[in-house]
Amino acid sequence: MKRNFQLLLVSYIMVFSAYSQNRITPALNIGSAAPALKVREWIKDNPIQDFERGKIYVVDFWATWCKPCLAAAPHLSALAGKYKGKVIFCDIDVKERKNTPTSKIKASVQSMGDRMNFHVAIEDSNYMEKDWLDAFGEQDYGIPRTFVVNATGKIAWIGHPAFGLDTVLEKIVNNNWDIKKALTKRNFDRHLEALDDSTMRKLNPYVHKPDSALIVIKSIINDEPELKYAPQLGYYTFLALLKTNPQKAYEFGKKLIVTTTYTEPAYEAIINGLKYSGNSNLPAEIYQLCAEARQEQINHYPYPEIVESIPSEYNEMAEWYWRANDKPKAIEAEEKAIKLSKNYSNISESDLASFKHSLRRYKM
């Protein structure tokens, strides 16, 4: 039986190693020459015909229906103002819903005013999607998605405009950006992400067998130690430890929420681990940890103004603080939930009444 299990594990590793290799080899990458700009129409500011040598460009992809894209526009506008004369910013409208008229796109841009204060264009057919997002392997990440083209016409950076663009742009403008190092990091991050994704299929069969799950997890980490605190593997580890040794779960979780891997720390792994543990009688420090993870998650939302679940998240956080015997923080979190509810139309009267009922309970 043990030999069969080992053979099965080896086959999983082989399959997903091949999957990972495919994932990290897009047609184009950091360091590649920037593809051409082919758009149907420039609808704001002067047209950009092509990338001129000696000039730096930020090319962002957006759509009118994309709330994070619209939320990113003021940030990009601020950077465009900061680097005026040094960096040219442009937004390319992609992924519009079928039959969206140009007039609607223009109206959306016009309504943004100075909050979208740079060049804006509508893509021509699907060229920009195919030769940019597809070619660089960025489709899975959705939009907004931002590319920086350096003064030699090469792609120097790819990412979400809220995460790292400010720092990267400053280095590129000052000729301090190491494009080879950026390429190496991007390839490794994609490799790690693919391996982390593969752990879901490896570990799902052992969700209700935590001891077996921990054996598989140990083998995965032996093969790639950098996966230890990655989001997917972190979730399965925390969940298994909650069921077998809550004290070890707490120790692991404290490191999990401060460790960056291919992405930001795995706050959601802690939260979901608690929710799916099936155990409502865990030690107080576990609930304290989950509340801290939720607060860190909220602190790291790129555009918190568009996250409609925040009042409910504070309400949930208050309950965890209460279970952790931290009455002052439970009250503070519930009061935030009530205060923020006024700004969110998705919070019903019954939700608000529930929040207020919880607050009275905490104050008793």
Side-chain angles (χ1 to χ4, degrees):
M1 176 67 101
K2 184 177 180 181
R3 178 172 174 78
N4 289 340
F5 171 76
Q6 289 174 335
L7 288 172
L8 178 62
L9 181 60
V10 169
S11 67
Y12 267 132
I13 292 171
M14 290 176 65
V15 168
F16 286 108
S17 291
Y19 167 74
S20 299
Q21 291 300 317
N22 290 336
R23 179 83 172 263
I24 65 171
T25 53
L28 299 175
N29 212 328
I30 287 176
S32 297
L37 281 174
K38 291 185 181 179
V39 302
R40 184 167 83 241
E41 182 181 354
W42 289 95
I43 59 176
K44 184 166 184 174
D45 218 328
N46 299 323
I48 300 172
Q49 301 300 335
D50 51 35
F51 297 116
E52 296 182 36
R53 289 299 177 99
K55 294 184 178 180
I56 300 167
Y57 296 81
V58 170
V59 182
D60 183 65
F61 293 90
W62 75 293
T64 58
W65 52 262
C66 172
K67 289 184 178 180
C69 299
L70 297 175
H75 174 214
L76 292 171
S77 293
L79 287 174
K82 179 179 179 179
Y83 293 107
K84 187 174 182 180
K86 296 180 180 180
V87 182
I88 298 169
F89 285 71
C90 58
D91 246 8
I92 313 298
D93 183 280
V94 297
K95 296 180 179 293
E96 277 297 342
R97 296 188 176 98
K98 289 183 179 180
N99 302 321
T100 301
T102 300
S103 59
K104 183 176 179 180
I105 300 172
K106 288 180 177 180
S108 177
V109 172
Q110 187 175 10
S111 70
M112 293 291 290
D114 289 342
R115 291 175 297 155
M116 190 176 266
N117 198 20
F118 40 75
H119 304 265
V120 183
I122 303 170
E123 77 164 340
D124 183 18
S125 183
N126 290 323
Y127 173 84
M128 297 300 290
E129 260 195 273
K130 286 175 143 184
D131 280 47
W132 286 74
L133 297 177
D134 285 348
F136 285 91
E138 293 296 310
Q139 281 286 19
D140 289 346
Y141 303 103
I143 50 176
R145 209 69 189 160
T146 305
F147 294 70
V148 179
V149 182
N150 70 11
T152 64
K154 293 181 178 179
I155 299 298
W157 182 82
I158 307 168
H160 190 291
F163 299 114
L165 178 60
D166 300 56
T167 302
V168 168
L169 206 52
E170 183 176 359
K171 289 183 178 181
I172 292 173
V173 168
N174 293 320
N175 294 314
N176 293 325
W177 181 246
D178 189 332
I179 199 167
K180 290 182 179 179
K181 187 177 179 180
L183 172 61
T184 300
K185 184 180 186 306
R186 181 172 189 258
N187 283 343
F188 182 72
D189 284 350
R190 289 174 65 84
H191 167 72
L192 204 63
E193 183 178 9
L195 289 179
D196 193 33
D197 286 346
S198 77
T199 64
M200 290 187 284
R201 288 184 61 181
K202 294 178 184 179
L203 289 165
N204 269 338
Y206 303 103
V207 167
H208 301 296
K209 300 174 183 178
D211 290 319
S212 297
L214 290 170
I215 293 171
V216 179
I217 288 166
K218 184 178 179 180
S219 176
I220 292 170
I221 294 172
N222 283 340
D223 288 336
E224 179 48 83
E226 294 296 325
L227 274 176
K228 184 172 183 179
Y229 298 108
Q232 300 298 341
L233 192 64
Y235 161 71
Y236 286 105
T237 304
F238 186 66
L239 180 63
L241 289 174
L242 280 179
K243 295 179 178 182
T244 58
N245 191 326
Q247 182 57 41
K248 284 188 176 181
Y250 174 73
E251 293 167 3
F252 174 79
K254 287 295 284 185
K255 292 182 180 179
L256 185 63
I257 63 170
V258 296
T259 304
T260 300
T261 54
Y262 60 86
T263 186
E264 63 184 16
Y267 313 119
E268 197 70 30
I270 297 293
I271 295 162
N272 287 336
L274 174 64
K275 289 183 177 180
Y276 296 114
S277 68
N279 189 345
S280 59
N281 191 30
L282 290 164
E285 59 262 30
I286 295 294
Y287 294 105
Q288 186 88 19
L289 178 66
C290 288
E292 291 171 2
R294 178 66 88 191
Q295 183 62 70
E296 284 301 309
Q297 183 184 49
I298 293 172
N299 291 345
H300 286 81
Y301 282 144
Y303 310 114
E305 67 274 13
I306 64 171
V307 182
E308 296 183 349
S309 60
I310 286 181
S312 297
E313 289 171 359
Y314 272 111
N315 172 65
E316 194 171 43
M317 192 191 307
E319 177 64 26
W320 292 335
Y321 276 129
W322 182 252
R323 288 174 176 267
N325 302 315
D326 193 334
K327 182 176 178 179
K329 286 192 174 180
I331 292 171
E332 180 184 355
E334 199 65 70
E335 287 177 339
K336 281 186 180 179
I338 293 168
K339 181 179 179 180
L340 290 171
S341 294
K342 300 173 184 177
N343 303 325
Y344 292 84
S345 60
N346 66 312
I347 301 299
S348 66
E349 289 297 326
S350 60
D351 290 333
L352 185 57
S354 176
F355 296 171
K356 290 179 177 179
H357 174 76
S358 294
L359 181 61
R360 288 193 295 271
R361 178 162 59 93
Y362 301 149
K363 286 184 173 181
M364 287 177 63

